[in-house]
Amino acid sequence: MTDQFSWGSRRLEFGFAWGDDSPVRIAGVTRDGTAIPVHAVPLVEVTTAQTGNSPGADRISHTQLGLELRYVSHSEARTANGRLLTIWQAADGVEASIAIEILDGAETAVRSRVSVVPAGDRALVLRSVASWSAGFTRPGTVDDDNLAGWHRVQGVSDWFGEGRWSRTPLRGIDFPRLSTQLAHSTHDPRGHYSVTSDGTWSTGRHLPVAGVETEGLAFAWQIEHNGAWRWELGEDLLGGYFTLSGPTDMDSSWTRVLRPGESFTSVPATVTVGGDFTEAVAALTDFRRAARRPHPDNAAMPVVFNDYMNTLMGDPTTEKLLPLIESAAAIGAEIFCIDAGWYDDGGNWWPSVGEWQPSTTRFPGGLGEVIDAIRDAGMVPGLWLEPEVVGVDSPMAGKLPDAAFLQRHGQRLVEHQRYHLDLRHPAAVAHLDGVVDRLVNDFGVGFFKFDYNVNPGPGTDLNADSVGDGLLGHNRAHLAWLDGVLDRHPDLVIENCSSGAMRMDFAVLSRLAMQSTSDQQEFAKYPPIAAAAPISLLPEQAASWAYPQPEMNDEEVAFCLVTGLLGRFYVSGHLNQMTAAQRATVATAVATAKELRGAIATGHAYWPAGLPDWTDPWVALGLRGEGQDLVSVWRRGGDAATALHLPHLAGRDLRVTTVFPLDLPEWKTDWDRDTATLTVQGGDADIAARTLRLDY
C-alpha cells in the first residue's frame, strides 16, 4: 500500500509517496500545471558509523538508513515570508525530519534542511547528512536508457579564472551504459559523479551551484554553505538522481557524535525547476532576492570606487589618494574604498594584518584627513578589511589566546603567513566586533570590503568531534558574526571578497551587499567571468571591475566599462591621470549605471551567445525585463559579426538601441524574428564592447 500527498505553490508542487516497506520519496513534480513523474528515491539520506551504503560505495545517496526510514507524520505551516512543510521519519535508533520551504516571490524554488536526533539511549556517529535527494529522470525500467538526452551544467573556478561553465552529456565517460547482466541484477551500480569543496574557500575550485537539463525540463541547485560541501549525481537501475550535502566524512573529515537529547541540522540547499537551465537559474534569482537579508543597499546599489585593482595595488598614501578622491567624486562615485595597506607602517602589509590601526607613515596627517576628504567630496568612506586572519607579524597574534585560533594538536594553523581566527571563541568575536565598531564610530566608515585570502584546510580539532566538525562550527559562527555586525550597523554596506571570488556562496551573499567577481587584471579576459557571474549570485551583487587606464584607446576604455555595467558598478583606475575626454567617458558610464540600477535589480540573466567559454571571441550577457532587455556584448577578436539567439523574442518586432558607449561608432544589428536571431556587426576594433537595449 502506498500513501501520498502533494505540497507546494501554485507554480511548483511536489508529490510525496511512501509505504509500509518504503521511505518517503518524491514521485512527481508539477510545474505550471504540467505533471512530471520522476524517478523516486529516498528523500532523506544519512550515513552513520553503524549504517553505511547499500550496496557499499563512497557516496552519500542510496544509504542503508535512507532505505530504513519510515514515515511518521508531516505538518504544514505559514511563515513570515512563505510556507513550510516538515516531514518526520524514524528508523531503529534514529529520528529524522526534513523542513522544506517556499518563499513568497520565489514560487519555483524550494529550500530544504534535514535534522537528525538519536532515538533511545544510544549515541549516533554521523558521517553525512544530505539536505536534499531526489530523482530527476522520468520513471524507467532496467532496459531504458534513463540518462539519454540529459546534460549536467556546472562551473569551476580559480584565482583570475572564476566561474568557467560547461554543459556536458551525462551519458558518456562518467555514466556509461553498463553490462546487461549488471543492469538486470538486484544491485544498483556503485558509480556516481560527485563535486566537492573542502576548507573555507567554498567556491575556490568547484561551484555549489549547478544543474541538470533535458529538452523541456531542468533542475538547478545551490548549496548554501561557507565551508565544505558535496553535490552528487548518480544512476541506479531505474533512473538518475542528485543529492546535496554540506561536509561529509569521506570528503572533509566531518563526523559528529549525537548523544541522547542532542540534534544536528544540515546546511541549507535550494532546488529550482525550469523548462531549461536558464529558467531554473531565473528561479534561483527570484529565490535569492526573496531570501537575502533586507538592506537599504539592495535597491540603492551606490557606485563604488576602489583604489586597488590596477591602480594603487595595496600601496595607499595620502599623497596618492587625495587626487583619486577628487577624480572619483567628479565622475559620480558614491562610495570610495581605501583598499589593502592602510594599516601598515613597515611596507609589507601581508603578514601584519590583524590589529587594524591606521598607519602613521602612510598618512602623516592621520587617516582621518583622508576619510574627511572622502566625506567632504560627497562620498561614503570605505576600508578594506580581512577580518578572519591575523598576520604572524601582527601585534594581535600575541594578544589573543591560542584557543581563539584554528588549531591542530595544540598548534595554531598557519597559512601564507597568517593565523586563522576561530569565531567559536568569544575572544575572537570580541576582537572583531571591537575593530568594526571602532572604525565605524571613530572614522564614520560606511563601507567595508571584507577580503579572505587563505584557506586553512579541513578544520580544527579543538573542542570538536572531528576537524570537519570544528570547521562547521566556525563556519556557522562566522555567519552569526556577520549578522551581529549588520544588526548593530544596519546601514553598513559590506562587500564580499575572497581572493577574487573564492568564497562566493549564498550563505555569505544572503547577508552581504555585493561580491567582487574576480581579481583578473587583464581586461580582455574579464568578460567570461562577468557574463557567468549571475549564475552564482544576483546580478545586482555582481561587482565586475571596471578599471579603465590612461594608456588605453577609446574602444578599450569602453570595453572595461561595459564589463561592469550590467551588475553592481565597481570602478578603479588612475582617473586623475586620464585626459578630460577619458574621464568624461567614465562619468557617462557611471551615470548610465545609475540609470540601469532598477532594471538590473529586477532583471533575469540569460546568455544569447551560449554559456561563456574562457576563449570565446564573442561573449554576451542579457538581462530580461518587462518589454525590454539589456544585453552587453564583448568582441575579443575573431569574426567581425556574431549571432545572438533570443528564443523568448521569437515572432516579435525588436528595436535595438545602444545604451553605452554613445560617442563611438554604432554597431549594426539585424533582427530575424522568425529564427529569433540578432546578428551584431562589430566595428573595426578587435577589442570592443557595447551595451544594447532591446525593446519589444
Side-chain angles (χ1 to χ4, degrees), residues 9-82:
S9 70
R10 63 181 181 85
R11 297 197 58 201
L12 179 65
E13 193 172 72
F14 290 88
F16 300 93
W18 67 94
D20 294 338
D21 59 351
S22 62
V24 176
R25 309 166 190 248
I26 292 175
V29 178
T30 300
R31 176 180 173 269
D32 290 333
T34 301
I36 308 165
V38 294
H39 173 45
V41 299
L43 178 60
V44 172
E45 299 277 23
V46 178
T47 61
T48 71
Q50 293 189 318
T51 59
N53 293 94
S54 179
D58 60 342
R59 59 190 178 192
I60 56 172
S61 56
H62 285 64
T63 63
Q64 181 180 336
L65 191 53
L67 291 171
E68 293 176 355
L69 287 169
R70 294 295 179 265
Y71 172 86
V72 175
S73 65
H74 72 275
S75 70
E76 302 177 35
R78 175 73 198 179
T79 64
N81 59 345

Side-chain angles (χ1 to χ4, degrees), residues 42-299:
L43 178 60
V44 172
E45 299 277 23
V46 178
T47 61
T48 71
Q50 293 189 318
T51 59
N53 293 94
S54 179
D58 60 342
R59 59 190 178 192
I60 56 172
S61 56
H62 285 64
T63 63
Q64 181 180 336
L65 191 53
L67 291 171
E68 293 176 355
L69 287 169
R70 294 295 179 265
Y71 172 86
V72 175
S73 65
H74 72 275
S75 70
E76 302 177 35
R78 175 73 198 179
T79 64
N81 59 345
R83 299 179 60 225
L84 178 68
L85 169 70
T86 306
I87 303 173
W88 285 270
Q89 298 184 85
D92 182 28
V94 182
E95 294 177 357
S97 63
I98 183 168
I100 305 174
E101 61 178 333
I102 294 180
L103 299 182
D104 297 335
E107 293 185 314
T108 53
V110 292
R111 175 195 256 171
S112 68
R113 300 174 179 87
V114 169
S115 297
V116 180
V117 298
D121 57 1
R122 185 182 64 181
L124 285 176
V125 180
L126 299 177
R127 299 179 58 216
S128 69
V129 179
S131 300
W132 178 269
S133 189
F136 60 86
T137 60
R138 273 75 169 187
T141 71
V142 294
D143 296 314
D144 295 331
D145 188 356
N146 300 304
L147 296 188
W150 282 91
H151 294 73
R152 71 172 181 269
V153 187
Q154 68 181 107
V156 296
S157 276
D158 199 354
W159 194 33
F160 286 58
E162 294 82 354
R164 306 188 309 278
W165 285 82
S166 62
R167 185 176 184 271
T168 307
L170 283 183
R171 182 63 77 210
I173 187 67
D174 297 309
F175 292 102
R177 291 217 74 184
L178 300 176
S179 70
T180 303
Q181 180 181 1
L182 178 59
H184 286 82
S185 75
T186 59
H187 292 293
D188 289 318
R190 288 186 169 90
H192 58 83
Y193 179 86
S194 62
V195 171
T196 65
S197 177
D198 55 24
T200 52
W201 275 352
S202 57
T203 58
R205 175 56 180 162
H206 297 286
L207 298 184
V209 181
V212 289
E213 68 173 348
T214 190
E215 184 68 29
L217 180 62
F219 295 86
W221 58 79
Q222 63 181 20
I223 301 171
E224 300 165 11
H225 185 46
N226 53 334
W229 51 262
R230 173 187 178 116
W231 59 259
E232 178 177 295
L233 292 171
E235 178 187 24
D236 59 30
L237 296 177
L238 300 179
Y241 57 88
F242 63 97
T243 305
L244 316 176
S245 178
T248 68
D249 183 15
M250 67 186 72
D251 303 312
S252 41
S253 302
W254 178 83
T255 55
R256 175 68 180 274
V257 180
L258 286 186
R259 295 161 184 86
E262 297 178 338
S263 66
F264 173 80
T265 299
S266 68
V267 305
T270 296
V271 177
T272 67
V273 185
D276 57 20
F277 183 69
T278 298
E279 280 193 11
V281 170
L284 276 178
T285 298
D286 289 336
F287 173 81
R288 291 164 182 160
R289 286 177 176 144
R292 71 187 297 207
R293 181 187 176 104
H295 193 284
D297 182 85
N298 293 0

Side-chain angles (χ1 to χ4, degrees), residues 372-388:
D372 288 345
I374 295 170
R375 191 178 295 106
D376 291 345
M379 297 181 291
V380 173
L383 288 175
W384 177 94
L385 207 65
E386 194 170 356
E388 294 155 80

Side-chain angles (χ1 to χ4, degrees), residues 11 44 157 273 334 350 377 395 462 519 523 540 547 564 622 681-682:
R11 297 197 58 201
V44 172
S157 276
V273 185
E334 296 159 294
W350 183 267
L462 181 66
D519 278 351
F523 73 95
E540 58 266 34
Y547 43 56
Q681 179 77 38

Side-chain angles (χ1 to χ4, degrees), residues 544-632:
S544 296
W545 290 91
Y547 43 56
Q549 300 298 336
E551 65 272 15
M552 291 180 176
N553 63 40
D554 292 345
E555 287 285 7
E556 291 171 337
V557 168
F559 186 104
C560 282
L561 295 167
V562 167
T563 294
L565 207 51
L566 292 190
R568 178 63 177 265
F569 208 55
Y570 199 38
V571 189
S572 195
H574 293 283
L575 300 179
N576 56 306
Q577 299 174 21
M578 290 181 173
T579 66
Q582 287 175 320
R583 283 195 296 272
T585 299
V586 179
T588 299
V590 170
T592 303
K594 292 176 181 179
E595 293 173 2
L596 298 180
R597 285 189 280 216
I600 292 167
T602 56
H604 294 86
Y606 64 95
W607 297 271
L611 288 174
D613 185 79
W614 187 247
T615 58
D616 281 345
W618 288 88
V619 175
L621 167 64
L623 285 183
R624 186 173 177 177
E626 292 293 332
Q628 186 181 92
D629 290 5
L630 297 169
V631 179
S632 284

